[in-house]
Amino acid sequence: MVTSLGLRATKQRAAVLALVDEVADFRSAQELHELLRARGESVGLTTVYRTVATLAEAGELDVIRRADGESVYRRCGSGAHHHHLVCRDCGAAVEVEGPAMERWAERVAADHGYSQVAHTLELFGVCPVCSAAK
Amino acid sequence: MVTSLGLRATKQRAAVLALVDEVADFRSAQELHELLRARGESVGLTTVYRTVATLAEAGELDVIRRADGESVYRRCGSGAHHHHLVCRDCGAAVEVEGPAMERWAERVAADHGYSQVAHTLELFGVCPVCSAAK
DNA sequence: CCCCTTAATGAAAGTCGTTGTCATTTCCAT
DNA sequence: ATGGAAATGACAACGACTTTCATTAAGGGG
C-alpha cells in the first residue's frame, strides 16, 4: 500500500496508517502522535508530521485547517473530489459533494479572467452527538 | 469611525485604516506593518496585529487564510456576506456571492443533523495581470 | 485648559504548530 | 549477508502570532 508510492514499508508508517484507518474524525499530527503513544506504538512526532504530509500529498489523507489554523487529517473514503461537514467539537466528519458548486466556482473564476483555479470549502457545525451531549 | 466602536482615535489606528482603504489586495499584518514603515508612518507590529484583529471582529476587514496558513486582511466593499476570488501571486481579490451555494450548505448541514453551521469558501487562482506578466 | 483615569502602544519575551538538521537506524535490492 | 539509500527521531530552529509590562497619550471631568 505504501510501497505503491515508491516508499519503504516501515513499522512507523504501518502504525500511522492503521491508526487513521480506525479513527473516523479529523485529527492533528500531535493528536495522532499522542494516540500512537497511548497504544504503545510510539512514533516520533517528526515522523508523524512527515508521514501525514506524504499521505496527504498522495491523496490518501484529507487535510483541512481548524479555525485556529492547525492542520487536521482524516482518511478519505473516496478518492474523488469532495468537501466536508465537520463537527467543531469532536471532529466527526461527513463527506459531501456539490457538483453544482464546482461548476459555479469554475464559471465565476473564468468570468473574471482568473486561471489555475482551486477552491477551499468546508462546512463547520456541531454534530448531533455533540448537540445531544450538551 | 473607530470611535463608534468604543475605541479611542489614535494616530496608529488612523494610519492602519488609511492604508487598508488604499490597498485593494489581501495583505498580512506583517506586510501592512512594512508598508506603513515604508511610508514613514511606522506602527508597532504588535499594534498592527491588534488593530486588524479588532477591525476584523467589527466586520470592517475581511480575513482569509493563505495556503501557508498566514492570515491576510482586506477592506470589504460590502458588509453583506460574501466570498472571494483571490490571486495567489498578488493578493488581488474579487468579491463574489453565491446565494444558491449558501442554501446548499444550509441544506446539507441540516440533512446530517448538524447545527450552528458556518462555512469557509474561497477561490484561489491567478489574476489576469499576473497571468500576463509571466 | 489641565489633570487623571484608563485605554493604547510597542519592544521584548514567550507560545505553539511545524520544519530543518544530522547522526543513527532500518529497509531491501543485489 | 551487505552496501547504499531512505527513514527515523531527538533537538534546534523557524515564523506567525500573543502576552507582558512599562511607558505614552487620549479625552472626559473639574
Side-chain angles (χ1 to χ4, degrees):
Chain A
M1 192 307 206
V2 294
T3 57
S4 61
L5 302 167
L7 302 173
R8 288 186 180 174
T10 66
K11 190 174 316 185
Q12 291 86 347
R13 289 211 255 253
V16 172
L17 271 171
L19 179 59
V20 295
D21 265 335
E22 288 176 34
V23 178
D25 310 337
F26 274 96
R27 292 295 161 91
S28 70
Q30 312 222 41
E31 288 167 352
L32 294 174
H33 170 70
E34 175 57 26
L35 287 171
L36 286 167
R37 204 188 56 71
R39 58 155 71 177
E41 296 179 330
S42 274
V43 174
L45 182 56
T46 308
T47 299
V48 174
Y49 271 109
R50 274 189 297 236
T51 303
V52 294
T54 302
L55 291 175
E57 268 176 59
E60 293 294 328
L61 287 185
D62 278 1
V63 198
I64 63 177
R65 301 255 186 173
R66 278 209 274 249
D68 65 357
E70 191 174 7
S71 292
V72 286
Y73 304 85
R74 178 190 198 258
R75 195 83 209 270
C76 43
S78 86
H81 179 75
H82 61 269
H83 299 279
H84 300 93
L85 170 59
V86 187
C87 177
R88 250 189 295 275
D89 288 355
C90 70
V94 179
E95 296 180 15
V96 298
E97 286 183 48
M101 278 204 0
E102 310 291 337
R103 286 191 297 274
W104 170 83
E106 291 282 336
R107 185 167 45 72
V108 167
D111 284 352
H112 291 88
Y114 279 58
S115 54
Q116 303 169 49
V117 182
H119 59 272
T120 65
L121 166 64
E122 308 301 340
L123 310 182
F124 293 93
V126 179
C127 75
V129 176
C130 288
S131 289
K134 217 174 22 173
Chain B
M1 191 306 205
V2 292
T3 57
S4 60
L5 302 168
L7 303 173
R8 286 184 183 176
T10 65
K11 191 174 314 185
Q12 291 86 347
R13 290 211 254 254
V16 172
L17 271 171
L19 178 59
V20 294
D21 264 336
E22 289 177 31
V23 178
D25 310 338
F26 275 97
R27 291 293 160 88
S28 70
Q30 314 224 40
E31 287 166 353
L32 294 174
H33 169 70
E34 175 56 26
L35 287 170
L36 287 167
R37 205 188 55 73
R39 58 155 71 175
E41 296 180 329
S42 274
V43 174
L45 182 55
T46 307
T47 299
V48 174
Y49 272 109
R50 274 188 295 233
T51 303
V52 293
T54 302
L55 292 175
E57 269 176 58
E60 293 295 328
L61 287 184
D62 279 1
V63 198
I64 62 177
R65 301 256 186 171
R66 278 210 274 249
D68 64 357
E70 192 174 8
S71 292
V72 287
Y73 304 84
R74 178 189 198 259
R75 195 83 207 270
C76 42
S78 87
H81 179 75
H82 60 268
H83 299 279
H84 300 95
L85 171 58
V86 187
C87 177
R88 250 189 295 273
D89 288 357
C90 70
V94 179
E95 295 179 15
V96 298
E97 286 183 47
M101 276 205 1
E102 310 291 337
R103 286 191 298 273
W104 170 84
E106 291 283 336
R107 186 166 44 74
V108 167
D111 285 351
H112 290 88
Y114 279 58
S115 55
Q116 303 169 49
V117 182
H119 59 273
T120 65
L121 166 63
E122 308 302 339
L123 310 182
F124 293 93
V126 179
C127 75
V129 176
C130 288
S131 288
K134 218 172 27 171

